[in-house]
């Protein structure tokens, strides 16, 4: 009897909470429909000072051209939190009508075939270069429009130091090391090669940026890697790890490599305290912010291979604009218009180059780089014009082990050898490939 | 060595340790907040080359049309709302659980413990919110924060109710107090120390929650103060001076709370701690 009474009481209690919830819901509900017959869509971008200002400028221009559409700007954080948020929004049908996200492996992790709207039928899609289409497509469709510029992975170097010591840009790995030795001998105060393991992700760059050299020697390497046949433990990819080991042991690296952060390394490079820094050119905005006077002292060259004929710059593709399946009707039409405006209209391109710092080359053929770009950007462009480029591995294969940063820190610090590191990374990638359900691993 | 010197030495060491643990990071935040972007990017303990605190402050406050002000308001509503629910509900549950043993107690305790142990699942929670039309609304977020904190609060209240003599309840009932009057006029005032503890601990937790509002309360209009932090940091460009100014601003409310309620927190924590 007592138990029954308690149950009843508990139910009453539950009802009270439910009522409270409903009351709260009633007072907090908001109206979602657009005002006065206008279509309202929202646009999700990474929360980052530069990208937000650019996005807002794009929105202002777009609303002026399309008075019946209102675009709201939303932001998400960069990194693991942001990846989770994007996936959560997609799987709950709450995704913004247009969103900006990485291309390549991260894009494929979104299950594009189920979540995104196919854009291959859009007018601008036909003009896109195949190299970009590949990184925003699956077998079943093309889902992304390029936003921004592709950047080059290789070595950023200080041209003043090079001029002063009359060095020339190295085309082979031994020349690169020899240049380092010359710098060390002539200017003991200048660090020949900067490494910044305070931000562990930077340690991956020497390995990732070597990938174009691998592709040059074996064009089908990436497919073999996805299929589980090619390994980093074997030539030609092994050199990426053995070179990193040599670099760590060469004595050319700064002494505080273990704690230096990426920003500090870029500053040291711009100040001429360091001569070379293996990095991706998308870091140029930081130099432009922190050392505006030194921007033109910075140059770029591809990470050298053992053989000069194989030295090729690795290209990182910019993220794309995507439209989720949840956008329908008027909103879908408005979203498509907005995507076309931002990524491939002359006005949209102009705003992109006005609001951002140039880091490489535009993907969309409609967009033209202004002529007054920094030297490093010109250097990247030269590799592109000469065709001496290949995409980074993450754009060719979805297999990327999550621990590459830690493994490369160990190799670069001399804790493990290059061969061991390569083997560890193969194991790391195997686990991820098995999780993805790929055959051959 | 006599006892007084020993005490002085131990006290001195304690002060030095707390200085290093608490004040050094705070000074670091302050230093970065007054520097320019290139200077702060070096993340060093050096004296600022240039004092630009005012510029940093106005930049942070005016970013995104004064997002910071909206965020402070949202955080305040969220914190006050959810902590109020937590205090009232947890005190009621804790009181009943302690005072009225029944067969249901085991079940209730199981769910209270489950609330502490089981991690919240994001996507199913959003489904529930969508079904109840609470998604993207402040009221939904308040209920979520209250749910996350409720278990811990119930345990604290339950332990504390055990220290209140039953005689007081009985006296009130004899004098003609109904159950509601008994709870609100007699029991709740006696729970004051633990109420203060719950308020302070949960306020700080809710105020500092980053992931909760990120997933359950999306949209820049709904941003809480923790959400404003990532505006100033990314892989390609970081403005550490603005980031640290923002951190400084977000640190102030919890800091004030601790400074004023310091003694009650410790009292509340320890008074319920040893009794079951």
């Amino acid at each position: 009897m007592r138990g029954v009474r308690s149950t009843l009481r508990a139910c009453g209690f539950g009802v009270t909470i439910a009522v409270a919830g409903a009351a709260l819901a009633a007072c907090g509900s908001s109206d979602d429909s657009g005002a006065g017959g206008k279509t309202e869509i929202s646009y999700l971008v990474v929360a980052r000072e530069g990208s937000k200002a650019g996005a807002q400028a794009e929105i202002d221009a777009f609303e002026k051209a399309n008075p019946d559409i209102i675009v709201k700007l939303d932001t998400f954080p960069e990194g693991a939190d942001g990846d989770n948020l994007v996936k959560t929004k997609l799987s709950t049908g709450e995704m913004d009508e247009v969103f900006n996200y990485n291309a390549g492996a991260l894009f494929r992790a979104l299950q594009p075939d189920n979540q995104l709207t196919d854009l291959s039928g859009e007018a601008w899609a036909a003009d896109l270069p195949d190299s970009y289409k590949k990184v925003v497509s699956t077998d079943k469709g093309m889902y992304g429009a390029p936003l921004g510029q592709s950047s080059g992975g290789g070595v950023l170097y200080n041209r003043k130091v090079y001029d002063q010591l009359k060095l020339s840009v190295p085309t082979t790995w031994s020349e690169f090391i020899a240049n380092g030795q010359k710098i060390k001998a002539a200017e003991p105060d200048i660090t020949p090669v900067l490494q910044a393991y305070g931000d562990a992700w930077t340690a991956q760059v020497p390995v990732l940026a070597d990938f174009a050299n691998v592709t040059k020697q074996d064009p089908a390497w990436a497919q073999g890697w996805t299929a589980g046949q090619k390994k980093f433990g074997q030539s030609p990819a092994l050199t990426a790890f053995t070179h990193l080991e040599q670099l760590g042991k060469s004595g050319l690296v700064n002494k505080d490599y273990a704690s230096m952060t990426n920003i500090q390394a870029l500053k040291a490079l711009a100040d001429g305290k360091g001569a070379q820094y293996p990095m991706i050119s998308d870091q140029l905005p930081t130099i432009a912010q922190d050392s505006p006077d030194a921007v033109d002292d910075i140059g770029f060259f591809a990470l050298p291979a053992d053989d000069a004929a194989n030295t090729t710059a690795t290209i990182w593709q910019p993220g794309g604009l995507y439209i989720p399946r949840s956008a329908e009707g008027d909103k879908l039409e408005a979203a498509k218009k907005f995507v076309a405006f931002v990524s491939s209209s002359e006005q949209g391109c102009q705003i992109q180059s006005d609001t951002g710092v140039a880091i490489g080359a535009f993907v969309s053929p409609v967009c033209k780089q202004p002529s007054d770009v920094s030297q490093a950007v010109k250097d990247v462009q030269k590799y592109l014009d000469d065709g001496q480029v290949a995409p980074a591995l993450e754009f060719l294969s979805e297999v990327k082990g999550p621990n590459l940063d830690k493994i490369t820190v160990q190799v670069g610090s001399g804790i493990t050898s290059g061969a061991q590191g390569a083997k560890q990374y193969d194991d790391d990638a195997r686990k991820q490939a098995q999780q993805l359900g790929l055959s051959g691993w | 060595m006599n006892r007084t010197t020993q005490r002085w030495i131990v006290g001195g060491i304690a002060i030095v340790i707390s200085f290093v643990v608490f004040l050094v990071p705070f000074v670091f935040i302050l230093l970065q907040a007054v520097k320019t972007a290139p200077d702060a990017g070096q993340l060093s303990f050096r004296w600022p080359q240039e004092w630009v605190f005012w510029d940093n402050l106005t930049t942070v406050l005016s970013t995104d049309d004064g997002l910071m002000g909206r965020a402070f308001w949202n955080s305040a509503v969220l914190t006050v709302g959810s902590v109020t629910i937590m205090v009232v509900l947890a005190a009621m549950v804790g009181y009943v659980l302690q005072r009225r043993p029944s067969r249901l107690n085991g079940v209730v305790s199981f769910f209270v413990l489950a609330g502490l142990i089981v991690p919240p699942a994001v996507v199913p929670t959003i489904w529930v919110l969508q079904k109840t039309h609470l998604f993207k609304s402040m009221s939904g977020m308040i209920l979520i924060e209250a749910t996350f904190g409720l278990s811990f609060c119930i345990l604290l209240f339950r332990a504390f109710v055990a220290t209140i003599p039953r005689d007081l309840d009985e006296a009130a009932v004899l004098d003609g107090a109904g159950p509601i009057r008994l709870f609100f006029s007699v029991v709740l005032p006696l729970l004051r120390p633990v109420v203060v503890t719950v308020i302070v601990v949960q306020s700080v937790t809710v105020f500092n929650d980053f992931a909760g509002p990120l997933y359950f309360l999306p949209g820049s209009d709904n941003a809480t103060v923790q959400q404003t932090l990532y505006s100033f940091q990314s892989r390609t460009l970081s403005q550490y001076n603005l980031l640290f100014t923002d951190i400084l601003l977000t640190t102030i409310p919890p800091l004030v709370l601790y400074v004023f309620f310091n003694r009650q927190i410790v009292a509340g924590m320890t008074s319920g701690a040893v009794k079951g």
Side-chain angles (χ1 to χ4, degrees), chain A residues 84-96 110-111 114-115 324-327, chain B residues 121-131 135-136 214-218:
Chain A
N84 285 337
L85 183 67
V86 166
K87 285 176 197 157
T88 308
K89 281 185 160 222
L90 281 171
S91 55
T92 54
E94 292 290 343
M95 183 43 99
D96 301 63
L110 297 181
Q111 297 183 300
N114 300 323
Q115 305 281 14
R325 279 273 163 96
S326 51
Chain B
V122 174
V123 173
T125 312
I126 293 180
W127 286 337
V128 173
L129 288 172
Q130 284 173 328
K131 287 265 158 58
F135 191 52
K136 289 196 207 170
L214 178 69
Y215 294 122
F216 302 123
L217 196 61

Side-chain angles (χ1 to χ4, degrees), chain A residues 2 24-25 47-49 52 73-75 77-78 81 84-85 88 92 94 201 263-264 267 282 286 289, chain B residues 37-38 42 64 100 122 126 130 134-136 139 210 214-215 219-220 230-231 234-240:
Chain A
R2 192 174 176 155
L24 281 167
R48 168 196 314 159
E49 228 7 70
K52 262 188 301 184
L73 183 63
D74 249 340
T75 55
E78 198 160 37
D81 277 323
N84 285 337
L85 183 67
T88 308
T92 54
E94 292 290 343
W201 65 267
I263 293 185
Q264 289 166 340
K267 179 97 171 111
D282 67 356
T286 301
Q289 175 189 280
Chain B
Q42 303 303 306
D64 294 323
R100 192 182 307 184
V122 174
I126 293 180
Q130 284 173 328
L134 284 169
F135 191 52
K136 289 196 207 170
S139 29
F210 175 79
L214 178 69
Y215 294 122
S220 47
Y230 65 70
S231 303
S234 69
R235 190 180 71 88
T236 44
L237 187 65
S238 287
Q239 294 155 307
Y240 280 112

Side-chain angles (χ1 to χ4, degrees), chain B residues 5-269:
Chain B
T5 19
Q6 205 176 345
R7 216 186 291 154
W8 273 93
I9 291 172
V10 173
I13 292 173
I15 290 173
V16 169
I17 290 177
S18 45
F19 179 81
V20 170
V21 173
F22 296 106
L23 278 184
V24 168
F26 195 72
V27 169
F28 187 75
I29 294 174
L30 269 178
L31 268 181
Q32 309 309 321
V34 300
K35 291 179 180 179
T36 56
D39 202 3
Q42 303 303 306
L43 290 180
S44 72
F45 253 113
R46 269 198 317 268
W47 201 245
Q49 293 164 348
E50 221 183 315
W51 289 71
V52 289
F53 178 67
W54 191 247
D55 289 347
N56 288 343
L57 188 66
T58 45
T59 314
V60 167
L61 287 178
S62 60
T63 304
D64 294 323
D65 312 323
L67 177 70
M68 200 66 195
R70 272 203 317 280
F72 261 110
W73 170 249
N74 287 337
S75 281
V77 172
L78 178 61
T79 310
V80 172
S82 56
V83 171
T84 311
I85 296 182
M86 270 187 246
V87 167
V88 174
L89 284 189
M92 288 173 165
V93 176
Y95 177 62
V96 173
L97 269 185
Q98 177 62 37
R99 279 289 193 260
R100 192 182 307 184
S102 79
R103 263 179 290 160
L104 272 180
N105 269 22
V107 182
V108 175
S109 303
F110 171 79
F111 279 108
V112 168
L113 278 180
L116 275 183
I117 296 164
V118 180
V122 174
V123 173
T125 312
I126 293 180
W127 286 337
V128 173
L129 288 172
Q130 284 173 328
K131 287 265 158 58
T132 50
H133 301 286
L134 284 169
F135 191 52
K136 289 196 207 170
S137 72
M138 183 51 84
S139 29
M141 192 65 231
I142 289 175
L143 290 177
I144 285 190
E145 292 288 4
T147 315
F148 286 173
L150 208 52
S151 296
F152 176 68
C153 301
I154 290 176
L155 290 182
L156 276 185
F157 276 112
R158 190 180 152 181
F160 194 81
V161 170
T163 67
I164 302 174
R166 239 173 209 283
D167 310 347
L168 282 173
D169 299 27
E170 285 161 5
V173 173
L174 274 182
D175 285 344
I180 299 207
R181 181 100 191 266
L182 169 65
F183 178 75
F184 282 102
S185 312
V186 178
V187 178
L188 200 55
L190 288 169
L191 293 175
R192 217 191 115 199
V194 76
V195 167
V196 173
T197 309
V198 165
I199 289 179
V200 173
V201 172
Q202 293 300 339
S203 298
V204 171
T205 313
V206 173
F207 187 82
N208 283 345
D209 189 12
F210 175 79
L214 178 69
Y215 294 122
F216 302 123
L217 196 61
S220 47
D221 289 340
N222 294 327
T224 61
V225 282
Q226 307 303 331
Q227 244 81 64
T228 61
L229 292 174
Y230 65 70
S231 303
F232 305 109
Q233 193 191 16
S234 69
R235 190 180 71 88
T236 44
L237 187 65
S238 287
Q239 294 155 307
Y240 280 112
N241 54 336
L242 302 181
L243 182 66
F244 279 101
T245 311
D246 198 330
I247 291 176
L248 188 67
L249 288 175
T250 44
T251 322
I252 290 170
L255 203 65
V256 170
L257 210 60
Y258 266 124
V259 167
F260 282 106
F261 293 103
N262 194 0
R263 199 176 299 165
Q264 279 94 329
I265 301 169
V266 178
M269 280 288 202

Side-chain angles (χ1 to χ4, degrees), chain A residues 81-227:
Chain A
D81 277 323
D83 295 340
N84 285 337
L85 183 67
V86 166
K87 285 176 197 157
T88 308
K89 281 185 160 222
L90 281 171
S91 55
T92 54
E94 292 290 343
M95 183 43 99
D96 301 63
E97 281 78 16
V98 180
F99 69 102
N100 176 213
Y101 194 63
N102 296 53
L106 282 171
F107 151 78
R108 291 197 182 93
L110 297 181
Q111 297 183 300
D113 293 328
N114 300 323
Q115 305 281 14
L116 303 179
T117 305
D118 189 356
L119 298 176
S120 54
E122 299 300 303
W124 45 263
D127 304 329
L128 279 189
D130 282 338
S131 59
Y132 190 78
K133 273 189 196 165
K134 242 191 279 174
V135 303
V136 289
S137 297
T138 64
D139 296 337
K140 289 178 188 152
M142 206 275 300
Y143 299 95
L147 177 72
Q149 309 175 347
S150 50
S151 48
V155 180
L156 297 176
Y157 70 105
N158 190 308
R159 294 165 65 229
K160 270 194 183 157
V161 176
Y162 260 59
D163 286 349
Q164 198 188 328
L165 301 175
K166 304 201 168 44
L167 298 173
S168 56
V169 166
T171 52
T172 66
W173 181 256
S174 49
E175 278 175 38
F176 177 65
I177 295 290
N179 271 356
Q181 304 287 10
K182 278 182 209 159
I183 296 166
K184 196 180 178 188
E187 295 281 349
D189 293 341
I190 297 178
T191 305
V193 182
L194 291 159
Q195 290 284 270
Y197 298 166
D199 289 315
W201 65 267
T202 64
Q204 310 174 58
V205 174
V207 168
L208 297 177
D210 187 61
F211 187 70
N213 303 340
V214 176
T215 308
K216 183 83 176 181
Q217 295 166 60
D218 182 355
W221 199 91
Q223 284 93 308
W225 166 250
T226 312

Side-chain angles (χ1 to χ4, degrees), chain A residues 241-261:
Chain A
F241 282 91
T242 49
H243 282 172
L244 181 61
E245 180 192 354
Q246 281 173 26
L247 189 63
K249 287 185 179 155
S250 64
L252 300 174
V253 173
N254 47 314
K255 291 210 169 54
D256 57 350
Y257 67 88
S259 62
M260 186 180 250
T261 64

